Structure formats: structure tokens, C-alpha cells
Amino acid sequence: MKKLRRFGTGLVAIALMMASLSGCGSEKSSAKGSGDSLTIEDGKLMVGLEIGYPPMEYFDEDGATAIGFDVELAKALSEEMGLEVELVDTAWDGIFAGLDADKYDVVISTVSFTEDRDANYTLSKPYVANAPVLVVPQDSDIASIEDLAGKTVAVQMETTADYIIQDYVADGLATDLRQYEKVINAFDELKAGRADAVCTDSVVAAYYLGDEASNYKTIWQSPEAEPIVMCLKKDNTALCAELEKALDALKESGKLDEIALKYFGTTDVIPSN
């Protein structure tokens, strides 16, 4: 496991911005499951996630054991709800389709809040503060996204970071956008000098830079927070409400702070609401 470190104070401001975001809503639920069960399988919470996004979800050094903030959160939520947990490792580009096809009950996999997702799914209240950032080498002359003209920027495909850069390209920014299946590939390209910048989530950037943080810098952070939420099918508000109750219980007991300290080195990224 890589050495964990503290996040900058920027995420504290992001956490404060999240207070106005609502959670599951109050519409009626037609959740899946038999009898009175809110889950697809009685007694089990099936969680979709892409195990390849440190420090949120990734494999330990044995290459087989899933660890990370989201992994421990999913297990803690399930325990609080009296359910068995099943982690369903899914490629990111198919993770929402899997939810639509009832392959799992909920996606707990660094899902950023966006208006489009809110319109099409039931999203929980935020559980981690986050915003897209642009990371470059310390000696880079890139000082803004506009400076990416003629440069190469690496992203994980079909993430909000990918969509942000695509929007700039559509508006005329002449950058070489390179999309990778895993975020680790994007950072490998940056560290090898084959990419000039990486656009990704702030929580992930802080992890990947790690002990090499002095060699890199964040030159841009989105003014629009993209807090991390749990994602369920649009009609599944009842299960979402139960997950939020469990989340509140984990906050009250200190368990959520314990997990945050383990993976982030701080509790500042945990919303107070």
C-alpha cells in the first residue's frame, strides 16, 4: 500500500459547498427484491465499483484483496444495515449500465454528483468532498487549462474529468486528449513524461502524487464542486434512504472518520451534514 498523506485545505472549502445538496428525495420507491426486501437479493447488499481508483477502491499488494475508502464504507454500511455485502468489480464505462440491468443495488465507486446523473438516478447526499483538478510537473509552464493548447493531457475515459477536457476541445482548445481505461495509466504517462498534464478528481490526485508531490503541482481546480455520492436506480429511493440512515450512524459513531483518517490522513473531506 502506498504511504497515505494529508490533503490540502482546498477540500475543506469544497466540503462547505456541499451542504446545499439534497439526498434521496421523497418520491415513492419500487425497489427490487422479494417480499419486503429493498435489495435485489434478500439479506445482501450488492455494490458495484471499479476496483482500480486509489485511494477509493483498489487491490492490495496481493492483487486480489479489494481495499480503499469506498470498499470499507460499503462493508461498514452493510454491517450497519444488518446485510451481507457483495462487491461487484465492474469496468467504469459499463458501471451505470450494470446498475440499470440490476446487476447490483448501488454504485459506491467515487461517483461525482452531476446534474445529469441526478436527473437519471437516485443519488445519496454527499459522503466525500471532491472537485476536478489539473496536475502538471513542478517545472511545467502550464498555468491554466487554456495553456494545454499544443500539449497532451491524460484522463480516465468517461469520467467527469474526461468530459471537462472534451468540452474545452469542442470549444476550440487544440490539446491532445488521451483517454485511458484506468486512472493509473494516466498518471503513469505523466510520470514517464509522455503526458503534460492529468485531469482527475482531487481525492485521487492527492493519493497518486504521494511521496512525489514535490515534483508536481495542481494548477487548476474546478470552481464547481463534484462531491462523491452513492448512486441507485431512479425509483430506488427507499434503499437510498436506508443507506443514508446507515451513513449518518457511521458518522455519529466515528467510524466514517476512522476510515477517512486511514485513507486520506484527515477527516476534513467528510461533510458535516
Side-chain angles (χ1 to χ4, degrees), residues 49-59 66-68 71 89-92 109-110 156 181-187 200 204 207-208:
L49 71 174
E50 182 222 2
I51 307 178
Y53 207 64
M56 304 302 285
E57 47 268 332
Y58 59 112
F59 287 113
I67 58 175
V71 173
D89 188 14
T90 305
W92 180 255
S109 189
T110 325
Q156 181 176 9
E181 183 178 353
K182 298 285 187 181
V183 73
I184 188 172
N185 303 132
F187 276 98
T200 189
V204 174
Y207 177 88
Y208 267 106

Side-chain angles (χ1 to χ4, degrees), residues 89-168:
D89 188 14
T90 305
W92 180 255
D93 60 3
I95 203 163
F96 296 107
L99 181 64
D100 292 334
D102 292 325
K103 292 184 178 180
Y104 26 83
D105 300 293
V106 56
V107 176
I108 305 178
S109 189
T110 325
V111 176
S112 299
F113 177 94
T114 67
E115 291 184 1
D116 181 64
R117 288 171 182 164
D118 191 40
N120 291 285
Y121 296 93
T122 289
L123 303 180
S124 74
K125 60 185 176 183
Y127 64 87
V128 167
N130 178 62
V133 296
L134 192 67
V135 177
V136 300
Q138 193 65 244
D139 60 356
S140 174
D141 60 357
I142 299 173
S144 67
I145 287 188
E146 288 75 16
D147 291 339
L148 289 173
K151 307 287 188 179
T152 297
V153 59
V155 299
Q156 181 176 9
M157 65 177 65
E158 297 193 30
T159 59
T160 52
D162 182 15
Y163 301 148
I164 286 170
I165 302 301
Q166 286 188 46
D167 285 345
Y168 274 90

Side-chain angles (χ1 to χ4, degrees), residues 46 48 64 93 121 131-132 141 143 155 176 192 197 199 212 218 228-229 252 262 264:
M46 300 177 67
D93 60 3
Y121 296 93
D141 60 357
V155 299
D176 179 8
C199 189
E212 300 180 52
T218 298
I228 306 305
V229 297
E252 185 174 349
K262 180 176 180 179
F264 304 138

